[in-house]
Amino acid sequence: MPPRVARVALDLPLPGFFDYLPGPAQADDLGRRVRVMVGKRERVGLLLDWADSSEIDPSKLRPLLDVDRSLPPLPEEIRVLLQFCAAYYHAPIGPITLAALPTALRRWEFTRLRPDPLWQLTAAGAAALPQQLAPRAIAQRRLATQLHAGQARESALATQAPRARALLADWARRGWLEQPVPVPAPASLPPVLNTSQAQAIEAIVGALGTYTPFLLHGVTGSGKTEVYLGALDATLQRGLQTLVMVPEIGLSPQIAARISARFPGASLSLLHSGLAEGERLAHWQAALDGHADIVVGTRLAVFTPLPRLGLILVDEEHDAAYAQQEGLRYSARDVAVWRARTTGVPVVLGSATPSLESWANATTGRYRRLDLPQRARAVAPLDMQRIDLRQTPPIEGLAAPAWQALDDNLGRGGQSLIFLNRRGYAPVLLCHACGWGADCPRCASRLTLHLKAGRLRCHHCGLESRPPATCPDCGNPDLRPLGQGTQRLEAALAARFPGARLARADRDALSRKHSWETLATQIHDGAIDLIVGTQLIAKGHDFPRLDLVIVANADGALYSQDFRAEETLFAQLLQVSGRAGRADHPGRVLVQTHFPQHRLYAHLFDQDYPGLAATLLAERRALDLPPISRQARLSAEAPEADAALAWLHAARQLAPATPEVRIFDPVPALMPRRAGRWRAQLVVQSFSRPRLHAFLDEWDARLRTEQRRTVRWVLEVDPPFM
DNA sequence: AGCACGCCGACT
DNA sequence: GTCGGCGTGCTC
């Protein structure tokens, strides 16, 4: 029987599919792009399913206008994965599906990217090029200069001159340019592996072809990447594709570089949001065609079609960047595990500080744990010390012993890093006469003073204003910045160590593209003596010259409302302190704190993640918190105070009575007001995932029919933060 | 999300 | 007399 109704995913914030008459579509067009009318507009959708009948009035059904058969259809594996995600996360299928495609494919007409040629000068070209150009052909000369510097991609050269592409073709015709065979970098020999690395690789390779989840736990420097490479090697040899997930764009070039250096013959595709549209499309297509052997990408890459998928690697699996916070809320790490299960391939979750979710799964045997206890490189042990801020109060952000340590290290020509998780100059601007503080008028937060920009900024809604000259309440001109931000610390360090080469690494300082790469290279090469930075510096890069790390202030997270704050802080501090030290002499780590006796520091100094995890899991068990239980959260926000809370109380009345599902009282959000809207939330929790989801399905359906316009609400499954 | 329809204030 | 404000409602 021919299919009657085409079910199409469209980028509209509505649940479910849109139904159409098949029009020109055939039964085997599932997974193909289709062109349809919605209202008076044409839109691009994806044909995801066939049905015998529709719930829509048959007279309203319109036909599909067109089917794109120029691309291979999205494989069934991905169609099923997308539908699972929509159902599990209570998210509309359309936006999820369309977001999984490269943006270029959201327009019906798309330009297929020509392969991006790599150009280099021939001997003739090197001799001819600057000379034979007209003196006034400035843009052409710029191109020539760039080519003299070495091989370059056409896409990069195209940004240098208006008619670059035509010009390059012309120069190639004259024999001035050639397309070098991408010289396979000499395949680096696999290093000698230690026993635990070899065992880990053996376990993963032995599991190829079956769903086996692994938790690869190894401290910084224990050689996790070598394990990834070993497992990749075996997967490549079997002709299978590997999906490598990384938390952030900044990390992918680095890991990609190591992979391509090791497997120069393999075809590697990068997928992240920083790519140009065409580039992303080309890489995605290579994956879909089965041409790419390895795909390295950030969270959206979890939906990349890979017809020969054999292995999934999730690096830094604990990283919060895997959890999409806005719009479509999902955990790419969890989706990756789900995908591995349905596809029947092993998945490796790697981290020095795993999420408690994954650690608990390893404890119960759901995941197989692979430990890398030794440091692969010979690194002297860290010398960690606490500085008790109650006994030695900070002067301009740092206590006397910290200043002393910096002075000593600079004197020795050493490199130092100060970790301060607070951007700006000062987090508070205060009136000393009446106690007035500069608050954000739209949020429940203080405005941060940015001295260089001469602005007060809200870090939650982005609002900016000029700092008042006098107190708006009492007129007192004595307004004082209170507390330390990275800018202020940088200024204090510059005053104290005028000869030192100083750099600041935070989102404000590194807004320009690529500058973090540049700075990281400078730090790596020893061109910087002193670095002040936020958590940005904790990630990705290896700084072999660093010998001193100072954690300026970490206490904020120790007694936080957020039950996951301690776990997160531990991961950050372990990562930051792991940056110190090199082979020839031990690194030093100083932690400034008001709570030196806090258990977190004891575990940190012993580099004892399992110990901390055991403690935290026991607490979660005692309080029935995740990962012992499962949670979902109904969040609401409204322009009027208490409207969100009132709506949640009404929503609570609509909740179906499901056994084993606990519904908490609505409470104001951690940030009760943001961007002018009042926010509140309600948590539901259960030990049974199936029961929780049955409950959520019913509740969500009821809430949709009761929708009121004044309140914006969203249901979040497995919410990452409280 | 768009884009319509729809009923009330200042203008060529 | 209209142009247009954005509240409410629909899209297969």
Side-chain angles (χ1 to χ4, degrees):
Chain A
M1 192 166 106
R4 283 277 146 79
V5 179
R7 318 211 72 190
V8 176
L10 289 168
D11 193 10
L12 297 172
L14 303 168
F17 297 109
F18 273 53
D19 293 345
Y20 288 86
L21 299 172
Q26 309 283 315
D28 62 355
D29 283 328
L30 279 185
R32 293 209 142 103
R33 299 195 314 143
V34 291
R35 194 158 57 89
V36 297
M37 294 301 290
V38 179
K40 299 195 168 178
R41 276 169 55 97
E42 267 185 19
R43 281 179 173 273
V44 176
L46 206 86
L47 177 55
L48 272 191
D49 208 356
W50 289 112
D52 290 330
S53 63
S54 171
E55 295 183 2
I56 300 295
D57 177 0
S59 66
K60 286 176 132 181
L61 292 183
R62 299 155 91 175
L64 298 178
L65 299 179
D66 211 348
V67 180
D68 173 18
R69 298 196 179 91
S70 73
L71 290 168
L74 208 63
E76 187 186 5
E77 183 219 348
I78 301 298
R79 303 198 312 265
V80 170
L81 187 68
L82 291 166
Q83 295 193 53
F84 159 74
C85 283
Y88 183 84
Y89 289 107
H90 290 259
I93 179 76
I96 292 192
T97 303
L98 276 291
L101 302 179
T103 43
L105 294 181
R106 291 191 216 180
R107 285 183 307 275
W108 185 249
E109 305 287 349
F110 65 96
T111 38
R112 219 166 284 270
L113 191 80
R114 295 179 298 129
D116 188 13
L118 188 65
W119 294 110
Q120 99 183 348
L121 289 174
T122 59
L129 250 182
Q131 287 78 12
Q132 299 201 16
L133 295 176
R136 287 175 54 208
I138 305 209
Q140 297 193 19
R141 283 173 175 275
R142 202 161 45 223
L143 275 191
T145 310
Q146 183 140 350
L147 282 161
H148 269 281
Q151 300 181 350
R153 288 273 165 201
E154 180 162 319
S155 58
L157 294 165
T159 61
Q160 301 292 312
R163 289 187 63 254
R165 289 182 193 273
L167 205 62
L168 290 167
D170 181 46
W171 290 355
R173 262 195 306 278
R174 294 172 191 234
W176 292 350
L177 290 179
E178 62 190 352
Q179 292 187 27
V181 183
V183 185
S188 62
L189 288 173
V192 179
L193 301 168
N194 63 37
T195 319
S196 41
Q197 284 175 315
Q199 282 171 351
I201 294 172
E202 198 186 315
I204 299 164
V205 172
L208 285 173
T210 55
Y211 166 66
T212 317
F214 293 97
L215 178 61
L216 178 63
H217 174 233
V219 297
T220 316
S222 62
K224 282 194 295 292
T225 309
E226 285 307 328
V227 176
Y228 298 152
L229 293 174
L232 244 165
D233 195 3
T235 314
L236 282 170
Q237 281 179 25
R238 294 180 195 204
L240 300 174
Q241 294 172 300
T242 304
L243 173 63
V244 183
M245 306 277 301
V246 294
E248 274 164 62
I249 310 170
L251 304 186
S252 55
Q254 215 198 7
I255 205 161
R258 280 195 70 179
I259 292 172
S260 57
R262 179 73 165 274
F263 309 111
S267 156
L268 188 145
S269 281
L270 272 181
L271 281 173
H272 57 74
S273 52
L275 291 179
E277 206 177 64
E279 228 172 344
R280 189 157 156 215
L281 173 62
H283 285 166
W284 186 83
Q285 243 193 94
L288 176 64
D289 294 342
H291 183 254
D293 298 308
I294 304 159
V295 167
V296 179
T298 48
R299 60 180 177 241
L300 261 179
V302 78
F303 296 109
T304 309
L306 294 156
R308 299 182 280 118
L309 181 62
L311 173 69
I312 302 180
L313 305 174
V314 183
D315 192 27
E316 305 294 345
E317 67 92 24
H318 66 281
D319 200 296
Y322 285 122
Q324 174 121 338
Q325 287 286 290
E326 263 133 54
L328 318 167
R329 291 156 198 264
Y330 66 97
S331 158
R333 182 240 291 147
D334 294 348
V335 176
V337 174
W338 182 267
R339 184 170 180 183
R341 185 211 303 264
T342 53
T343 315
V345 302
V347 56
V348 181
L349 309 179
S351 177
T353 52
S355 63
L356 277 192
E357 276 74 7
S358 299
W359 189 257
N361 279 330
T363 310
T364 60
R366 276 171 68 114
Y367 292 178
R368 279 178 65 185
R369 205 168 107 195
L370 304 170
D371 286 305
L372 299 180
Q374 307 106 310
R375 288 211 175 196
R377 283 173 285 131
V379 173
L382 287 177
D383 167 22
M384 291 214 193
Q385 282 166 9
R386 281 159 262 217
I387 299 176
D388 188 344
L389 290 177
R390 295 167 306 183
Q391 286 173 17
T392 49
I395 306 143
E396 300 194 90
L398 296 177
W403 283 115
Q404 188 60 50
L406 281 174
D407 205 2
D408 293 348
N409 198 36
L410 274 169
R412 258 181 277 132
Q415 193 179 55
S416 314
L417 173 107
I418 303 166
F419 175 65
L420 175 62
N421 220 349
R422 203 157 228 176
R423 294 184 287 130
Y425 185 81
V428 184
L429 183 65
L430 213 63
C431 169
H432 251 243
C434 73
W436 170 89
D439 293 327
C440 176
R442 312 169 64 209
C443 303
S445 68
R446 297 284 198 187
L447 294 171
T448 300
L449 180 64
H450 287 245
L451 208 61
K452 269 186 197 156
R455 308 291 279 175
L456 285 167
R457 267 187 210 148
C458 176
H459 286 179
H460 301 280
C461 72
L463 186 97
E464 282 199 27
S465 57
R466 263 187 52 200
T470 59
C471 174
D473 277 8
C474 70
N476 170 31
D478 184 22
L479 296 179
R480 295 188 199 169
L482 198 74
Q484 290 289 331
T486 45
Q487 282 184 16
R488 190 176 201 173
L489 194 52
E490 183 190 22
L493 288 163
R496 180 81 163 245
F497 307 114
R501 294 164 300 174
L502 181 60
R504 175 161 59 90
D506 58 33
R507 197 139 54 83
D508 302 314
L510 302 172
S511 47
R512 282 160 297 129
K513 216 181 165 186
H514 292 133
S515 60
W516 173 225
E517 283 303 311
T518 316
L519 179 57
T521 308
Q522 287 179 312
I523 298 170
H524 184 276
D525 298 345
I528 305 281
D529 304 313
L530 261 175
I531 309 124
V532 183
T534 56
Q535 58 198 336
L536 211 97
I537 50 175
K539 294 184 178 175
H541 295 78
D542 199 24
F543 300 135
R545 290 161 197 273
L546 192 63
D547 3 57
L548 172 65
V549 169
I550 297 176
V551 176
N553 185 3
D555 290 345
L558 287 181
Y559 297 97
S560 161
Q561 298 270 118
D562 173 1
F563 71 83
R564 281 184 239 253
E566 194 175 335
E567 182 188 343
T568 313
L569 176 65
F570 185 83
Q572 258 176 27
L573 293 188
L574 195 70
Q575 213 158 18
V576 171
S577 54
R579 309 240 153 261
R582 29 177 153 160
D584 45 350
H585 62 92
R588 199 166 169 216
V589 179
L590 299 175
V591 179
Q592 300 195 140
T593 175
H594 287 96
F595 310 103
Q597 76 294 347
H598 196 283
R599 62 172 180 214
L600 181 130
Y601 296 120
H603 290 299
L604 178 69
F605 287 17
D606 293 343
Q607 308 232 344
D608 178 25
Y609 172 81
L612 180 76
T615 309
L616 291 176
L617 275 177
E619 280 181 13
R620 303 276 178 93
R621 188 166 289 115
L623 297 168
D624 294 347
L625 286 170
I628 309 303
S629 63
R630 304 273 159 191
Q631 286 188 340
R633 175 169 68 188
L634 184 62
S635 299
E637 52 173 63
E640 316 86 44
D642 297 336
L645 264 179
W647 184 87
L648 287 174
H649 276 108
R652 195 183 201 280
Q653 298 304 310
L654 284 175
T658 311
E660 293 176 45
V661 173
R662 190 167 161 197
I663 308 168
F664 290 89
D665 287 329
V667 290
L670 223 57
M671 169 87 32
R673 206 157 91 90
R674 190 166 74 189
R677 301 177 72 89
W678 295 84
R679 309 160 72 231
Q681 55 190 249
L682 188 170
V683 171
V684 296
Q685 175 173 297
S686 177
F687 293 106
S688 155
R689 210 204 287 243
R691 288 223 192 254
L692 181 64
H693 282 271
F695 168 88
L696 293 176
D697 288 343
E698 173 62 22
W699 197 28
D700 193 12
R702 292 186 191 178
L703 290 172
R704 274 174 211 288
T705 57
E706 293 287 318
Q707 207 177 115
R708 255 187 292 164
R709 298 276 166 204
T710 47
V711 172
R712 247 189 244 160
W713 61 274
V714 58
L715 188 61
E716 295 159 276
V717 179
D718 303 335
F721 306 115
M722 286 309 296

